[in-house]
Amino acid sequence: MKKQNLLILCSLFVFFVSVRIEVLNYRVGTFLPRQKLSTGGYPKWRSKSIKAAELNWVYNNSINGRNTGKELGPEKLRELELYLADEKIKIDTWNRLRFWCASFGTLQYLLAPTCLLFMIWSVKDSRHRSLLKKSIQACTVLLLLLSISLAVYREYYTVYLD
């Protein structure tokens, strides 16, 4: 029975990771799965942060009176300041998505199928269990199948391709 509870907790953790990655992916504008660019490559994970870092450099140097090669008026500075504040939130979300995909997302390729196999074996072996326990096991199997399909479709492993 303790093994069964541990297996259900592990399965719920796998599902939680899938949901967390989906929420972060939605917040960054559905970056995953990565679509091929017209040039033949894939978009890089860090391209947005590089652009924001360049704009941040222009903004800081313009405020401090240094020559950046671009003359910015006060209205352009304010517009750039608002844009950078918005980009900082997006970049933080991108970084969190990258972290979750690199750590827990890739772990799902090992953990989710293992839990699924043990859970199916457990369901098959439970002839004399109550209907509630069997329904919990069946729901857990469905959650694991959903988590595996999201991991395969969203290609969490692409975090290592850059």
Side-chain angles (χ1 to χ4, degrees), residues 145-156:
L145 286 172
L146 179 64
S147 297
I148 291 171
S149 64
L150 284 173
V152 170
Y153 175 70
R154 295 292 186 198
E155 301 171 342
Y156 300 156

Side-chain angles (χ1 to χ4, degrees), residues 63-157:
I63 286 178
N64 295 332
R66 296 185 192 121
N67 186 8
T68 61
K70 297 179 181 178
E71 293 299 323
L72 300 175
E75 63 278 346
K76 285 286 188 186
L77 279 175
R78 180 66 185 146
E79 185 178 310
L80 184 58
E81 184 179 299
L82 291 174
Y83 174 77
L84 285 173
D86 186 46
E87 278 300 301
K88 183 180 178 338
I89 293 169
K90 284 182 185 174
I91 289 170
D92 288 345
T93 308
W94 275 70
N95 288 339
R96 277 188 265 136
L97 176 64
R98 182 178 169 87
F99 168 78
W100 278 85
C101 285
S103 57
F104 301 117
T106 52
L107 180 66
Q108 280 190 280
Y109 288 107
L110 176 66
L111 199 56
T114 305
C115 286
L116 182 65
L117 289 175
F118 282 124
M119 188 56 74
I120 289 174
W121 178 63
S122 174
V123 167
K124 206 173 171 186
D125 194 40
S126 63
R127 294 186 195 122
H128 304 292
R129 296 217 171 120
S130 69
L131 182 62
L132 178 64
K133 289 182 182 179
K134 286 183 181 181
S135 61
I136 289 173
Q137 289 172 338
C139 288
T140 306
V141 168
L142 290 176
L143 291 179
L144 283 169
L145 286 172
L146 179 64
S147 297
I148 291 171
S149 64
L150 284 173
V152 170
Y153 175 70
R154 295 292 186 198
E155 301 171 342
Y156 300 156
Y157 62 87

Side-chain angles (χ1 to χ4, degrees), residues 20-31:
R20 181 68 180 146
I21 290 175
E22 284 300 308
V23 168
L24 290 172
N25 188 39
Y26 176 76
R27 286 184 184 169
V28 298
T30 60
F31 180 71

